[in-house]
Amino acid sequence: LLSCRLYCEEAKDPKRRSCQTVLAEALDIVIRSFAPILPHLAEEVFQYIPYKKGKEGVFRSGWINASSAWKKPGIEEAIEGACAMRDSFLGSISGKNALEYEVIIVIEPGLLFELMEALQAEETSSVSQLNEIMMASQTTLLSELPKETPSDANIIKGTFLINLEGGDICEQSSYKVIARPIAKAKCPRCRRYTAESSSTPCPRCLQVLAAGKGSM
């Protein structure tokens, strides 16, 4: 998830910058958390932070002050739901390379489906947040099983309980996960199976390279 965003996207792409922001915020909180018991280590790490402003030390810059923007309602539940489906997917291909597969997630219309839509607006995507969490090369989000689903398809079923607003909104939703080998070639740049041939980068990588901000 992190490596794809940091090393495959354009330098100023919002996905890459948002990843850097999360890493910076996490590091800041970790440093301040262990500063009272490991003061010298905390101070040394703090002094080497390249984006730090000002010359004050970790003990003069205040305690943890996480922004309320990180507590957006529904985000935690969306990530936890996606991780539950990822575990179902990975369990069905135990020991195999997840990138060699595409995932089809089927959820009946409801709160869980809406949360997943927040992670993937398109029906099928290889670059969405949902696909990054699933760790596959491509993820498709549907409200019903595809008509062409073979009768012997390995369909993993599961449920996920959603609790919002301190339990005021509670809904248990069922989901189905289908994993099948992807038919596309391995991209020589991002290593995902999203290219038309093994000698040509995938559409996303071609776009980054064309902008002059990527490398093979």
Side-chain angles (χ1 to χ4, degrees):
L1 174 58
L2 295 180
S3 62
C4 185
R5 285 195 177 197
L6 291 175
Y7 301 115
C8 296
E9 301 290 355
E10 293 184 33
K12 295 184 179 180
D13 187 282
K15 291 181 180 179
R16 185 175 185 274
R17 296 299 298 272
S18 66
C19 181
Q20 290 177 310
T21 299
V22 170
L23 291 174
E25 184 74 10
L27 177 60
D28 184 83
I29 291 175
V30 168
I31 293 172
R32 297 180 194 280
S33 296
F34 67 65
I37 55 175
L38 295 170
H40 299 293
L41 177 60
E43 185 62 37
E44 182 176 3
V45 175
F46 189 81
Q47 292 300 328
Y48 275 96
I49 293 178
Y51 50 82
K52 179 176 63 69
K53 303 296 182 182
K55 298 181 179 180
E56 71 278 8
V58 65
F59 292 99
R60 293 180 178 272
S61 58
W63 184 235
I64 297 171
N65 185 26
S67 170
S68 59
W70 298 104
K71 300 179 181 180
K72 187 176 180 181
I75 291 297
E76 182 178 354
E77 288 74 16
I79 299 300
E80 289 180 349
C83 287
M85 296 175 203
R86 178 192 63 196
D87 291 344
S88 296
F89 160 56
L90 295 178
S92 70
I93 61 164
S94 180
K96 298 179 181 178
N97 183 2
L99 289 175
E100 295 180 358
Y101 289 81
E102 62 174 322
V103 179
I104 299 174
I105 299 174
V106 182
I107 309 172
E108 293 184 358
L111 186 54
L112 182 58
F113 187 86
E114 293 175 4
L115 290 175
M116 293 306 105
E117 279 190 315
L119 300 176
Q120 178 170 302
E122 308 87 354
E123 182 177 284
T124 299
S125 177
S126 61
V127 297
S128 68
Q129 295 181 71
L130 179 59
N131 186 67
E132 290 179 342
I133 293 171
M134 295 303 293
M135 299 170 62
S137 278
Q138 179 176 287
T139 297
T140 299
L141 179 62
L142 302 172
S143 58
E144 59 183 16
L145 280 173
K147 295 180 180 179
E148 67 274 12
T149 302
S151 58
D152 61 346
N154 183 21
I155 302 176
I156 304 94
K157 299 180 180 179
T159 59
F160 183 74
L161 179 63
I162 301 171
N163 271 303
L164 293 173
E165 304 296 334
D168 291 339
I169 301 176
C170 185
E171 180 179 301
Q172 181 159 321
S173 301
S174 60
Y175 62 83
K176 299 180 180 72
V177 175
I178 304 172
R180 60 188 186 189
I182 195 163
K184 295 185 178 180
K186 185 178 182 179
C187 172
R189 183 174 182 272
C190 69
R191 308 302 181 185
R192 289 187 175 183
Y193 289 77
T194 51
E196 297 302 321
S197 72
S198 58
S199 60
T200 305
C202 66
R204 186 271 303 275
C205 287
L206 283 174
Q207 183 177 357
V208 174
L209 292 169
K213 299 182 183 295
S215 60
M216 293 291 288

